[in-house]
Amino acid sequence: MEQISGLINHLSQTPLLPVALTLIAFQLGVELFNRLKHPAWLPPIVSGGLILVLMLWLLPLDYPSYYEGARWLSFLLGPATVALAIPLFLQFHHIRAMFKPITATLLIGAPLAAGLAMLIAWGLGADTKILISLAPKSVTAPIAVSLADLLGGIGSLAVGIVALTGVVGSLMAAPICRLLKCDDERILGFTMGLNGHGIATARAFEISPTTGAFSSLAMGLTGAYTALFLPLLFGLID
């Protein structure tokens, strides 16, 4: 046992073990997702995260050591963020055709998505770091982590909130639209992408290609807009 513990401690000093654990946990999450026939309430990012937590708990490897070894994976967040320009380009004809309603929805919806979460947390006594980490909850993880780190929040908390928001968005958007008797797939898709980013967008493509297209459009626009107004907002507050 001491030899195994020593080996793990040695490997944790390199990126090998943390990266391997991350990939294994995500692959197990994907396998579970497929076996359960793609449940919207348990996407691979959630189940994989839980599996990774269990691995770290069972192994003599603390989170700071894991994070240090897996830090280089964060480098991939940059290219992933830039890649959001692709769905924007592919859906540009939709932007031109529905410029006014899309712009109005984005200008109102994105600040509300961030502001309501911060308002509730502030009312419950959350400190500034928590508020900053909650603010980008409705944008995709690469942008959320970058914003949290830039503004002085907690990156790991931001990722968790983003995942939770995506799961809730993928579950609740369609039932709420049915309750409101709204059967327009464009509205449903844009709602899912604006509030639930990539996780909800994956679910939107399962509903229909049109829903997925508008969800990916909303995800990209919301990410870009939030990345602009949040630093300005907290700059004014400071």
Side-chain angles (χ1 to χ4, degrees):
M1 184 63 69
E2 290 183 1
Q3 292 178 339
I4 295 177
S5 179
L7 177 61
I8 292 176
N9 288 332
H10 173 70
L11 291 176
S12 66
Q13 303 302 315
T14 70
L16 180 61
L17 180 61
V19 171
L21 291 176
T22 303
L23 296 178
I24 291 172
F26 182 75
Q27 188 58 45
L28 291 174
V30 171
E31 183 65 22
L32 180 62
F33 183 70
N34 291 332
R35 286 183 177 273
L36 294 178
K37 301 186 183 301
H38 306 149
W41 52 271
L42 192 65
I45 190 174
V46 174
S47 56
L50 295 174
I51 292 171
L52 181 59
V53 169
L54 180 61
M55 288 178 172
L56 295 179
W57 180 66
L58 293 174
L59 296 173
L61 178 63
D62 56 22
Y63 178 76
S65 299
Y66 161 78
Y67 182 77
E68 185 66 28
R71 177 178 292 183
W72 74 272
L73 286 174
S74 300
F75 172 77
L76 300 177
L77 294 176
T81 303
V82 175
L84 288 175
I86 296 175
L88 288 178
F89 175 76
L90 294 177
Q91 305 302 328
F92 188 70
H93 56 291
H94 288 310
I95 300 176
R96 288 188 299 179
M98 302 182 64
F99 178 78
K100 289 183 179 179
I102 286 176
T103 301
T105 303
L106 180 68
L107 292 177
I108 297 172
L112 278 178
L116 289 177
M118 290 191 295
L119 181 62
I120 294 172
W122 176 78
L124 294 173
D127 61 23
T128 303
K129 277 193 173 184
I130 301 297
L131 296 179
I132 293 173
S133 304
L134 287 173
K137 68 176 184 61
S138 293
V139 302
T140 191
I143 296 178
V145 172
S146 298
L147 285 173
D149 291 340
L150 174 67
L151 299 173
I154 306 170
S156 56
L157 176 59
V159 171
I161 296 299
V162 164
L164 180 61
T165 301
V167 173
V168 173
S170 64
L171 287 173
M172 298 302 296
I176 290 175
C177 279
R178 287 196 298 268
L179 182 65
L180 297 175
K181 297 181 179 180
C182 175
D183 56 1
D184 192 323
E185 293 182 339
R186 298 172 299 175
I187 296 176
L188 173 59
F190 202 84
T191 300
M192 295 179 74
L194 191 151
N195 292 283
H197 50 81
I199 296 177
T201 297
R203 171 60 182 156
F205 274 107
E206 294 178 0
I207 296 174
S208 75
T210 300
T211 307
F214 273 83
S215 185
S216 64
L217 172 63
M219 178 184 69
L221 290 174
T222 303
Y225 179 46
T226 304
L228 291 174
F229 81 75
L230 271 187
L232 293 175
L233 173 63
F234 283 104
L236 292 174
I237 294 175
D238 292 341

